[in-house]
Amino acid sequence: MSISVFELFKIGVGPSSSHTVGPMVAAHQFVQDLRRQTHLGRVTRVEVQLYGSLALTGIGHGTDMAVLMGLLGEAPDTIDVDSIDDKQRTIERDQRLKLGGEHEIEFVRDRDLIFHCDEFLPQHANGMTCGAFTGSELLFERSYFSIGGGFVLSDEDFLHKDQIATVLPFEFASGKQLMERCHQHGWSIAELAMANEKAFRSEEEIKTELWNIWQVMEASIDRGCHQHGLLPGGLKVRRRAAELYRELSKQTPEERCKGLAILDWVSLYALAVNEENAARGRIVTAPTNGAAGVIPAVIAYYVNFVHDPAKHGDLREQVVKFLLTAGAIGMLFKRNASISAAEVGCQGEIGVACSMAAAGLAAVKGASNQQIENAAEIGMEHNLGLTCDPIGGLVQVPCIERNTMGAVKAINGARLALRGDGAHIVPLDSVIETMRQTGIDMQSKYKETSLGGLAVNAVNC
């Protein structure tokens, strides 16, 4: 199964890729399926049942909101995020919903949106079943699974998931095969990734779209640096990025680069993005929402503190190289392990983002393919076993600060790899397999259910 870099970097809405973006995509897909079946005009009621992790942390992760928006026909990459609250209030007040934006039906939230907190569907921890009725007759029913990073498979797709992905001209199923293919063609990892993407769009289109991905990332940093107040959800978490930005902006150019001061800026970038994510703002899933701040923070570090046009060339080309390299690494985790915290814990989110960011940074700093693989391996190796135990089911504590740590680790991982010659004892494939096995062994209470760890101990202190 191979995927495009644009599936790992998707413009969307916070706070969660698996619990917000995925369910919105699934509900939208359900409406499209109804339309294809010519059932849409006959529907009088829909019922959405949420299972497992989607039910347990659904309210805090905005799953309920996402389902409603998807049923309205909205999509994560195009929805006006400022309109969400008004649309949600209107549905709850009128108990009516325009299915697909065109066919009005009755919708009673407490009746038609059902949370099965003690039941998991066998295919995946993030499952939901949508049913459409005309009167008491069931017209159409389908289950969907949010498998991480905003990826969604229907129950039918799930049976054939290895056959539905795009076939790439330079397929690679492992880190070893990726390195061999690069060596065979004399390419960097980014060049091989570009060759694959060019099978479906022009090189200029790829570069333009990747640059746009960075522009959205940069905009989320900028917006996060200028927003104040408390984050939604009840924990009363205060936004810190704006105050930190105000303090850091007082520094002279010399002070910004002195000692560890740069790391304060890296932390700021990550905080800003993930506060925007927690506030249900516009962000880029990279490769998940919970870890959406890591890669933007590391790119911003490169742009603001490392890039020298005389040494590194055009900034746009370097950002493209970063994202293509990071995307190739992310594909390995997506294929051979998981990027879903509900499956493997936060090692599949922050850990994967850290590995991708370390590889991307090493690439734009001139690393060899062996050094890039080493950087990616370091990035994950030191996130193995990381649990997902969000307090209150919200993507806030410890998620926001965890992005700052992931970004700093990524920078250090790239620096360590660049200090070496690319030789390393632990192959990237071994780390990916270890992450997968660790995720299997991890108890479900530590996998985005808010039934263990900080989610229960912090509130008891």
Side-chain angles (χ1 to χ4, degrees):
M1 181 178 69
S2 296
I3 53 179
S4 166
V5 66
F6 295 107
E7 295 176 85
L8 288 164
F9 300 117
K10 298 188 291 291
I11 298 170
V13 59
S16 171
S17 48
S18 57
H19 288 61
T20 314
V21 174
M24 192 184 299
V25 170
H28 183 273
Q29 182 61 50
F30 176 63
V31 173
Q32 295 298 101
D33 290 341
L34 284 173
R35 189 175 279 116
R36 277 191 290 270
Q37 298 282 340
T38 68
H39 291 320
L40 188 62
R42 298 176 58 201
V43 176
T44 59
R45 183 173 73 88
V46 296
E47 181 179 273
V48 179
Q49 302 184 66
L50 303 170
Y51 295 90
S53 181
L54 287 186
L56 287 162
T57 60
I59 298 298
H61 282 55
T63 305
D64 51 344
M65 171 275 292
V67 169
L68 296 181
M69 296 304 107
L71 291 176
L72 288 175
E74 299 284 2
D77 59 335
T78 56
I79 188 171
D80 176 4
V81 294
D82 294 325
S83 72
I84 290 175
D85 288 342
D86 285 343
K87 289 176 179 176
Q88 193 169 208
R89 281 192 293 266
T90 299
I91 293 170
E92 294 178 359
R93 182 194 66 214
D94 299 343
Q95 296 191 336
R96 309 288 294 178
L97 181 152
K98 274 198 172 183
L99 199 59
E102 62 183 72
H103 178 62
E104 188 169 286
I105 62 170
E106 182 181 43
F107 189 90
V108 181
R109 179 190 169 107
D110 292 340
R111 181 194 68 189
D112 299 327
L113 190 58
I114 304 166
F115 293 79
H116 297 281
C117 295
D118 57 352
E119 187 176 352
F120 287 72
L121 295 182
Q123 294 94 328
H124 195 277
N126 292 331
M128 56 188 282
T129 300
C130 302
F133 299 82
T134 179
S136 60
E137 177 191 353
L138 179 64
L139 284 173
F140 180 75
E141 183 178 73
R142 179 159 287 174
S143 293
Y144 304 87
F145 303 91
S146 179
I147 63 172
F151 290 83
V152 171
L153 296 177
S154 69
D155 43 10
E156 183 177 336
D157 293 336
F158 212 94
L159 296 174
H160 310 287
K161 62 180 181 178
D162 289 334
Q163 284 79 50
I164 63 174
T166 301
V167 176
L168 301 178
F170 302 99
E171 183 72 76
F172 54 92
S174 65
K176 180 181 179 182
Q177 192 173 43
L178 171 62
M179 300 296 283
E180 288 173 347
R181 285 198 177 278
C182 287
H183 178 73
Q184 176 186 356
H185 295 282
W187 288 338
S188 68
I189 292 173
E191 287 171 333
L192 185 138
M194 174 63 83
N196 278 331
E197 295 294 333
K198 282 168 65 176
F200 313 106
R201 52 180 67 87
S202 72
E203 182 169 331
E204 187 54 37
E205 287 175 321
I206 295 164
K207 291 180 178 180
T208 298
E209 289 182 43
L210 287 174
W211 181 253
N212 183 55
I213 290 291
W214 162 238
Q215 294 294 289
V216 176
M217 289 178 173
E218 191 173 40
S220 67
I221 293 174
D222 182 67
R223 181 172 169 80
C225 285
H226 294 89
Q227 300 299 309
H228 299 269
L230 301 178
L231 294 172
L235 286 182
K236 298 183 178 179
V237 174
R238 182 175 59 85
R239 296 182 75 140
R240 291 178 287 171
E243 179 62 23
L244 180 56
Y245 175 71
R246 188 180 68 83
E247 289 298 318
L248 293 180
S249 296
K250 297 176 183 178
Q251 296 175 340
T252 65
E254 293 76 18
E255 289 172 331
R256 292 185 185 189
C257 298
K258 185 176 180 181
L260 297 178
I262 290 175
L263 296 187
D264 292 334
W265 284 92
V266 174
S267 293
L268 167 65
Y269 303 144
L271 280 175
V273 173
N274 280 84
E275 286 178 357
E276 277 298 287
N277 180 62
R280 300 181 180 178
R282 175 77 65 214
I283 51 88
V284 174
T285 300
T288 68
N289 283 29
V294 175
I295 289 173
V298 177
I299 297 179
Y301 158 75
Y302 173 78
V303 169
N304 294 320
F305 294 98
V306 178
H307 182 257
D308 179 350
K311 291 169 58 178
H312 303 125
D314 180 63
L315 178 60
R316 181 173 179 261
E317 295 294 323
Q318 290 295 89
V319 169
V320 167
K321 180 190 291 187
F322 187 114
L323 291 173
L324 286 172
T325 305
I329 298 301
M331 291 175 195
L332 295 173
F333 284 99
K334 182 72 178 65
R335 177 188 177 100
N336 297 317
S338 176
I339 59 171
S340 168
E343 280 193 299
V344 296
C346 199
Q347 58 176 356
E349 298 207 19
I350 292 293
V352 174
C354 179
S355 181
M356 293 169 65
L361 181 60
V364 294
K365 293 186 75 173
S368 67
N369 287 338
Q370 290 73 25
Q371 289 171 317
I372 292 169
E373 186 204 14
N374 188 198
E377 175 263 320
I378 292 170
M380 174 51 75
E381 185 177 358
H382 302 288
N383 281 291
L384 289 172
L386 193 61
T387 60
C388 181
D389 49 357
I391 297 175
L394 298 165
V395 192
Q396 296 179 18
V397 182
C399 320
I400 295 173
E401 286 183 353
R402 193 168 279 176
N403 277 261
T404 71
M405 303 305 292
V408 170
K409 279 186 180 181
I411 293 170
N412 197 39
R415 289 174 63 85
L416 284 170
L418 283 160
R419 291 288 184 183
D421 61 4
H424 48 287
I425 293 173
V426 181
L428 176 59
D429 288 331
S430 296
V431 173
I432 294 174
E433 174 59 18
T434 301
M435 188 268 267
R436 188 189 70 83
Q437 294 175 4
T438 303
I440 292 172
D441 293 340
M442 191 181 291
Q443 295 182 43
S444 63
K445 67 181 181 179
Y446 299 117
K447 295 193 282 190
E448 209 167 6
T449 59
S450 288
L451 297 176
L454 283 175
V456 297
N457 288 309
V459 294
N460 291 332
C461 295

